[in-house]
Amino acid sequence: MNIIQKIHYQLLNPISLIVWCWLGTMFFIGGIWQLESNRFNFWAVILMFSALILMIIMRQRHVLIIDYEHQTLLFRGIILRNSHIFTRKQIQHLRLAPRQAILSFVDASYFPMHLVVSKKGQHLLNKFVTVRDEL
C-alpha cells in the first residue's frame, strides 16, 4: 500500500462557490465580448484566459494529502500558508454523499468540512478514517 495518497478537492462553502461563480462569469463575459466584437478583441481574450488559468490553478492547488505512516490529513489550499493538518484522532465522523465528503471533528471549534471529491477520493478518505491502527 502506498504510504501517501493525494486527492484533489474543492471546499463546498459559500466563499468557494462565489469565487467559482465569479471565475465562470469572467470566462463567459470574455467569450461573449469576443463573439460580439467585429474583429479580434485582445482584452476579451485576456479576460477569458486569465479566468481559465485561475480555474486551473484553483483545481490543481487544492490537494488533500493522506499520510498513512503519520496518520494525518494535510489540506493544501491556493496559498501555502492555508495548509491545515489533522490527525486521525481529531476526526470524529466521515459522512459520504454523492461527490461529497463531510468531515466532522472532535474539537467543537472546527466547523464540519464539506468537500467535493471524486469517488476514488471518497474511497481513500473512508479507508483512512475507518481503518484503525492497522499500520
Side-chain angles (χ1 to χ4, degrees):
M1 176 170 62
N2 201 357
I3 303 234
I4 294 178
Q5 298 281 336
K6 292 184 180 182
I7 304 169
H8 289 282
Y9 75 94
Q10 290 299 317
L11 284 174
L12 193 61
N13 61 12
I15 294 172
S16 179
L17 291 174
I18 290 170
V19 168
W20 277 103
C21 287
W22 273 106
L23 288 175
T25 302
M26 281 177 43
F27 180 77
F28 287 118
I29 285 176
I32 291 170
W33 189 10
Q34 176 59 42
L35 290 173
E36 290 294 325
S37 298
N38 290 335
R39 53 185 154 74
F40 183 76
N41 191 338
F42 183 71
W43 296 108
V45 173
I46 286 178
L47 183 65
M48 280 178 48
F49 281 120
S50 62
L52 187 64
I53 288 171
L54 287 173
M55 285 181 194
I56 291 170
I57 289 171
M58 280 187 63
R59 167 76 171 97
Q60 294 299 319
R61 293 290 301 215
H62 282 101
V63 176
L64 171 63
I65 299 173
I66 300 173
D67 188 356
Y68 291 102
E69 184 179 351
H70 298 104
Q71 298 183 354
T72 58
L73 289 177
L74 172 64
F75 289 90
R76 286 204 176 143
I78 293 176
I79 303 169
L80 291 178
R81 292 187 311 200
N82 264 357
S83 296
H84 297 286
I85 298 175
F86 296 104
T87 62
R88 187 177 2 214
K89 294 176 185 175
Q90 290 177 310
I91 298 171
Q92 179 180 9
H93 186 260
L94 172 70
R95 192 176 73 189
L96 299 175
R99 304 278 300 169
Q100 290 184 29
I102 302 164
L103 288 169
S104 300
F105 299 99
V106 174
D107 189 5
S109 65
Y110 290 117
F111 289 114
M113 291 186 83
H114 297 261
L115 307 173
V116 177
V117 293
S118 65
K119 288 190 182 252
K120 176 187 172 192
Q122 285 181 339
H123 175 69
L124 290 173
L125 275 173
N126 193 24
K127 186 169 75 170
F128 176 77
V129 171
T130 56
V131 176
R132 299 284 180 184
D133 300 325
E134 197 173 283
L135 294 175

